[in-house]
Amino acid sequence: MKVIHVKNSESREACLARLCANVYGQDAGLTPLVTFTGISGVLFEQDAARLFALADDRQRILAMMLLISDIEGQGMEVTLLSAPEDGGDDTHVKQLVREMAMRAPLRVHANDATSEAFFRDCGIAHWLDMPDGVRLGLSSEHEKVEPAALTQPLRFNAQAIVQTFKREPETFEAYKARFLAGLERFDGQV
């Protein structure tokens, strides 16, 4: 198995569409489409987001993750993380996080003890208590800093995207078509 940085724009868009669909599910309303739009139309364009996949020897995707850089370049936040429905499982997702944690300055958020235990199993050992009550884990490659010294990951404005969709139906239709085309193109291979 190996970790692959998905750079080809068509493959990356297909993987992103599947990742959004897997993470948010079919009952999430516009959230998967808004996330897809913000990442593909803003963060990929600014080279602030990167998509990685864990693949087997036949290039079959077993797990995927989206990393978003912070403003200062201190680290990258694990934003979306999933195994394809017909591919890997939690073991593969953990392996992908573990591999990336050894290579990059990762940050992960844990809203509960179960999430923290999951990421601890992935090798995330340094944890900070954040002011909002969330626990933030840092990989061994990340600078050990106090919560106040951390810079925020780059973000897109989801509300602005929704408003654009309302004002510009053609923009909504264009991103919806890209999202659906990405889902159709996703064949589980890198």
Side-chain angles (χ1 to χ4, degrees):
M1 285 185 253
K2 61 184 171 184
V3 175
I4 298 170
H5 181 189
V6 183
K7 294 180 183 178
N8 173 280
S9 61
E10 283 191 17
S11 296
R12 185 178 65 184
E13 199 161 278
C15 287
L16 177 62
R18 173 53 55 205
L19 189 55
C20 288
N22 287 354
V23 169
Y24 296 112
Q26 294 189 10
D27 299 326
L30 282 177
T31 302
L33 179 60
V34 169
T35 302
F36 173 84
T37 302
I39 292 167
S40 61
V42 178
L43 298 179
F44 279 159
E45 294 297 319
Q46 296 175 354
D47 200 29
R50 291 179 175 81
L51 201 142
F52 292 89
L54 178 69
D56 65 13
D57 296 336
R58 294 173 298 169
Q59 300 294 91
R60 188 174 59 115
I61 296 173
L62 303 171
M64 295 181 288
M65 79 167 26
L66 180 79
L67 301 177
I68 297 180
S69 300
D70 67 22
I71 295 168
E72 298 283 327
Q74 288 178 331
M76 295 181 287
E77 180 179 88
V78 176
T79 306
L80 299 175
L81 183 62
S82 176
E85 296 160 353
D86 57 351
D89 55 28
D90 272 356
T91 304
H92 296 113
V93 173
K94 284 182 181 181
Q95 184 176 349
L96 178 57
V97 174
R98 190 175 301 110
E99 292 280 335
M100 291 304 296
M102 292 187 297
R103 300 175 187 187
L106 294 188
R107 298 179 191 182
V108 297
H109 292 270
N111 295 323
D112 55 36
T114 303
S115 296
E116 184 172 335
F118 175 88
F119 286 117
R120 282 186 182 276
D121 284 348
C122 299
I124 306 292
H126 185 72
W127 289 86
L128 303 171
D129 289 314
M130 300 305 286
D132 59 2
V134 171
R135 299 267 294 156
L136 180 76
L138 304 176
S139 71
S140 60
E141 296 297 310
H142 199 290
E143 252 182 81
K144 304 301 185 249
V145 295
E146 294 300 313
L150 288 168
T151 56
Q152 293 298 311
L154 294 165
R155 298 278 188 239
F156 59 87
N157 186 331
Q159 290 300 332
I161 291 170
V162 170
Q163 292 305 313
T164 299
F165 284 170
K166 288 179 181 178
R167 283 190 321 274
E168 302 171 13
E170 66 280 0
T171 301
F172 170 78
E173 290 299 329
Y175 274 103
K176 179 179 158 189
R178 282 176 62 183
F179 181 74
L180 294 174
L183 288 174
E184 287 177 19
R185 265 194 326 274
F186 184 81
D187 62 1
Q189 301 285 122
V190 176

